[in-house]
Amino acid sequence: MEVDNKIQSDDDLLLQFFDAQRFEIADDGFSKRVMQAIPQRARRLNRIWTALCFTVAMAMLLFCDWVDELRLMLSQLIGDLIGYLSVVEFNLCSIVMVLASLMVLSTVAIYNVLTNYDAKL
């Protein structure tokens, strides 16, 4: 408990220090003027480069049969998941335990949300 209070007070002290040392630099629209001063050619080249990279990636995806590889990988993944689920044995005791665990976890989650909400007010 004492360690938590010390950590909390250290955090509060740091926040107070940084809040006191904060200052804003008025740039009078300088940042906006700099962004507008960037040559349009550079923006255009950036868009062209992005489109070119996207086109090359799509061509590689299609011509190297990556679509079939992705389809095969996803179908195997889904098959494995279905296989794993078919092996799980549910008897009455485990279902009751799962439901009880879910109820306890949801109760704790709701309690945490409500206490955090009250603490922020």
Side-chain angles (χ1 to χ4, degrees), residues 30-121:
F30 175 75
S31 300
K32 187 175 183 180
R33 289 192 307 271
V34 167
M35 291 305 291
Q36 289 174 347
I38 294 175
Q40 292 296 323
R41 183 174 184 269
R43 289 183 184 177
R44 218 173 316 122
L45 286 175
N46 186 15
R47 289 184 181 140
I48 290 171
W49 178 250
T50 303
L52 180 67
C53 288
F54 179 78
T55 304
V56 168
M58 287 296 115
M60 287 177 64
L61 185 77
L62 294 174
F63 292 126
C64 295
D65 289 334
W66 288 357
V67 174
D68 286 337
E69 291 294 326
L70 287 174
R71 184 191 53 78
L72 181 63
M73 182 181 67
L74 287 175
S75 66
Q76 288 176 349
L77 178 69
I78 291 171
D80 288 344
L81 286 174
I82 291 172
Y84 293 144
L85 290 176
S86 67
V87 173
V88 175
E89 294 180 16
F90 290 108
N91 56 20
L92 184 60
C93 181
S94 66
I95 291 175
V96 171
M97 293 303 292
V98 167
L99 291 176
S101 300
L102 288 175
M103 287 178 59
V104 168
L105 288 174
S106 62
T107 304
V108 169
I110 291 170
Y111 175 77
N112 286 338
V113 168
L114 292 177
T115 56
N116 285 339
Y117 179 75
D118 289 340
K120 289 180 181 179
L121 293 177

Side-chain angles (χ1 to χ4, degrees), residues 20-34:
Q21 301 301 320
R22 180 181 303 164
F23 62 93
E24 297 291 328
I25 300 174
D27 67 350
D28 259 349
F30 175 75
S31 300
K32 187 175 183 180
R33 289 192 307 271
V34 167

